[in-house]
Amino acid sequence: MTYTLLDSDEKIFKFLDSISSLDEIAVDFEGEFNLHIYGEHLCLIQIFDKSNYYIIDPRSKCVSEKGIIAFLTSPIRKIWFDAQSDNALVYKAYKTTIENVYDVRALAKALGFMGNLVSLEETYLKVKSEVVDKKRLQQTNWLKRPLSEEQICYALSDVEHLFDLKSVLIKEVEDKNLTKNAEYLLKCACNKPKLTPPWTKLCSTRELSKEQRLALKEYFIARDVVAKRFNVPSYYVLDKHKIVELAKKNPKSLDEVYSIMGPCNQRFELFLRSSMKNAFDHLR
């Protein structure tokens, strides 16, 4: 697919000037979510204006936070699919939110459709994706440069049909008298992200006592410290199920802590044991 690469702040600002007369553009992200290195990172922004494709490369040395934020907060309407997770990433990384979002997933939800983008396109546009194995590509390493042609095609395919989807779904919503519900869901989709502590995503904290919830937090942070030190995903250091087990059993000795942890990668073992000892001491 032919596209224009925006790999500098200068190009981003020129692009924003060039689309100032447009009402809307289609946008999507590719990100890194603790799969290949530590933390969450914005890796790619793909754009379609009905005629041309563009890619903003946040990994370029010539692209700064200033350029990224200028695009994200620009007044042009941005048609998106499921913007909430992307908005949360932006909020954590840049301390701002995406402005002027029109989330077509809100229209789909108003219609009772809870599937992904591919199934939505197949159902309402009768479009069959030409990209093979989307799940694999979704989880590919978006941090590496240069990106492969396969990665680029996958990324741009996510914005290819958003204009058509918006039109078809709006008509469907109107035909079924679901406009008010859709408007409410569209408004909710634009709300400021509510960031929950990451350790609460490991299990249902309702099942844990106050003491166990505190242990979950301490042992999660202890693992995170090591992952950050080595710049690796947290699961490389210790499986999340071990963190939950430590929280639930709340061991009474260091030997019990290490027994529950089990064998560790030798690369991390010394630092992990030290970090877990600090957590254990803090819980006493």
Side-chain angles (χ1 to χ4, degrees):
M1 297 174 79
T2 303
Y3 66 95
T4 299
L5 178 62
L6 307 176
D7 56 358
S8 70
D9 285 355
E10 181 182 4
K11 290 180 181 179
I12 292 172
F13 284 110
K14 284 184 177 178
F15 168 69
L16 288 173
D17 285 340
S18 72
I19 62 170
S20 59
S21 61
L22 299 180
D23 292 326
E24 55 191 10
I25 53 176
V27 186
D28 191 34
F29 281 177
E30 301 302 335
E32 161 67 26
F33 297 91
N34 277 298
L35 284 177
H36 303 93
I37 65 171
Y38 175 80
E40 299 181 7
H41 308 270
L42 176 59
C43 301
L44 208 68
I45 304 174
Q46 49 269 40
I47 305 160
F48 182 49
D49 67 1
K50 279 191 177 179
S51 301
N52 303 295
Y53 293 97
Y54 303 85
I55 285 178
I56 294 177
D57 185 4
R59 309 298 293 173
S60 169
K61 293 179 180 179
C62 297
V63 173
S64 69
E65 285 192 10
K66 181 180 179 181
I68 297 295
I69 292 173
F71 172 76
L72 296 173
T73 59
S74 60
I76 192 167
R77 185 187 303 120
K78 303 164 188 70
I79 307 174
W80 221 288
F81 177 80
D82 198 8
Q84 289 187 319
S85 60
D86 292 333
N87 211 9
L89 171 58
V90 165
Y91 188 68
K92 284 182 276 189
Y94 302 102
K95 301 299 183 288
T96 189
T97 55
I98 308 167
E99 295 185 10
N100 305 304
V101 173
Y102 192 100
D103 194 336
V104 295
R105 187 168 188 263
L107 300 176
K109 287 171 70 176
L111 293 165
F113 190 94
M114 303 303 289
N116 60 21
L117 179 59
V118 172
S119 59
L120 190 65
E121 291 171 347
E122 289 178 354
T123 300
Y124 286 95
L125 299 180
K126 310 304 178 188
V127 171
K128 185 74 174 177
S129 175
E130 295 180 5
V131 178
V132 179
D133 199 358
K134 275 209 163 194
K135 186 174 183 180
R136 175 182 62 82
L137 284 166
Q138 186 179 38
Q139 297 179 347
T140 192
N141 191 346
W142 292 100
L143 295 160
K144 285 187 176 181
R145 295 295 183 273
L147 294 170
S148 68
E149 183 177 346
E150 186 183 35
Q151 285 176 302
I152 295 295
C153 288
Y154 164 80
L156 294 178
S157 72
D158 282 345
V159 294
E160 183 177 7
H161 302 294
L162 289 181
F163 282 101
D164 293 335
L165 265 180
K166 180 190 172 191
S167 298
V168 169
L169 294 178
I170 285 177
K171 185 177 186 305
E172 190 81 7
V173 164
E174 290 174 347
D175 289 347
K176 293 187 176 181
N177 297 315
L178 295 169
T179 301
K180 285 188 177 180
N181 187 31
E183 287 175 349
Y184 170 75
L185 291 171
L186 283 166
K187 183 178 179 181
C188 290
C190 297
N191 288 343
K192 183 177 178 180
K194 293 181 180 179
L195 303 182
T196 56
W199 51 86
T200 62
K201 298 176 184 178
L202 295 185
C203 65
S204 175
T205 52
R206 296 176 186 175
E207 302 172 1
L208 305 180
S209 66
K210 182 178 179 181
E211 184 181 40
Q212 289 172 327
R213 288 196 296 271
L214 180 58
L216 183 72
K217 174 183 176 181
E218 291 295 334
Y219 289 124
F220 179 95
I221 292 173
R223 180 187 67 162
D224 221 46
V225 165
V226 180
K228 187 174 183 179
R229 178 188 181 96
F230 287 91
N231 194 27
V232 296
S234 298
Y235 70 87
Y236 277 28
V237 177
L238 188 66
D239 186 88
K240 65 181 181 180
H241 296 101
K242 298 291 186 180
I243 303 296
V244 175
E245 188 177 355
L246 282 164
K248 288 183 175 180
K249 292 185 175 179
N250 205 2
K252 304 305 179 185
S253 70
L254 266 178
D255 286 342
E256 193 179 348
V257 170
Y258 298 148
S259 175
I260 292 171
M261 285 167 50
C264 303
N265 186 311
Q266 289 185 351
R267 181 186 178 195
F268 314 123
E269 186 173 11
L270 180 63
F271 296 96
L272 181 59
R273 281 179 170 252
S274 175
S275 189
M276 285 296 187
K277 180 182 183 301
N278 290 338
F280 176 79
D281 291 343
H282 193 253
L283 287 166
R284 301 281 60 82

